[in-house]
Each structure stands twice: as structure tokens, then as C-alpha cells.
Amino acid sequence: MEEKFRATLAGFGSSLGNAAYKHNEMGLLYSLRNARNLEDFYRVLNDVQFRLELTVPEALLQLERGERIAGVPWERVKTLLSIYAMNAYLRRNTSPTERTQPTEQQEE
């Protein structure tokens, strides 16, 4: 995967997670994760546009032969986008003190 495309996924995923938190739309993140085929994936992206008023990056809309997006299997794109979005959502969902407290492993 090209670094530029990975950065696009990271940026859009972060925006998606933050907007989902702001609009209380965690269901969209579940829908993204649960997309079973390319049609479902694009349907979720379309829902994101209407419900969160986000612009979907053009790079995610350029479908290539073999159900690939930017040379990458769509399932990998979906998975990475889900991870980036959920990370952003969870960061917003935790209090600042929870983010700065060490975990048990860090204390040892």
C-alpha cells in the first residue's frame, strides 16, 4: 500500500471517528466494520456523507479490477478505515485522565 493512500485512510478515519462521536453515530462505525461486500462498503460511505456531512476522499471511490481500491483489496481498505475511525472515536470517548494514566504493564 502506498504511504499517501495509507495517510488518506488515516486522515479520513480520524475525521470519521471524531464526527461519529460528535453526532452520536457509533452505529455507522459498526456498519462500516460489518460491510460484507463492496456494495455494502460504498453504501456505508454514502450514509457517512449524508448523516455526518463528511466528504469521502476521491481515492476511496476509484474502484479497480478485482475489487481493489488504490491497488489494495477493498477488505483491507475497509478494515484499516474501521480501525482508524474507531481509534479516533475511542480517544474522544475517554477522559483525559484515563489517557494519561499508565496501564498495569507500564507500571511494572
Side-chain angles (χ1 to χ4, degrees):
M1 175 181 308
E2 290 184 22
E3 180 58 28
K4 183 178 177 184
F5 184 66
R6 191 211 54 77
T8 297
L9 286 177
F12 181 59
S14 181
S15 297
L16 175 55
N18 287 324
Y21 181 84
K22 179 181 174 186
H23 295 339
N24 197 28
E25 286 279 3
M26 189 172 187
L28 277 174
L29 301 183
Y30 283 119
S31 294
L32 177 61
R33 181 195 68 186
N34 294 335
R36 295 176 187 234
N37 55 50
L38 195 55
E39 189 71 28
D40 286 348
F41 177 67
Y42 281 131
R43 188 173 298 118
V44 173
L45 293 180
N46 188 240
D47 285 347
V48 164
Q49 288 181 307
F50 282 93
R51 291 161 67 179
L52 303 180
E53 298 179 353
L54 290 178
T55 301
V56 176
E58 189 69 30
L60 289 176
L61 305 177
Q62 296 177 0
L63 185 61
E64 298 171 358
R65 179 172 283 181
E67 294 191 337
R68 292 176 168 269
I69 301 170
V72 180
W74 79 270
E75 294 95 340
R76 185 173 302 150
V77 172
K78 174 195 80 159
T79 301
L80 287 173
L81 184 59
S82 295
I83 290 168
Y84 287 126
M86 195 62 187
N87 281 348
Y89 184 94
L90 291 173
R91 279 189 210 105
R92 293 281 305 264
N93 202 31
T94 58
S95 71
T97 55
E98 288 179 68
R99 282 184 252 157
T100 58
Q101 291 178 344
T103 63
E104 289 180 28
Q105 290 177 338
Q106 290 173 331
E107 291 174 351
E108 295 175 355

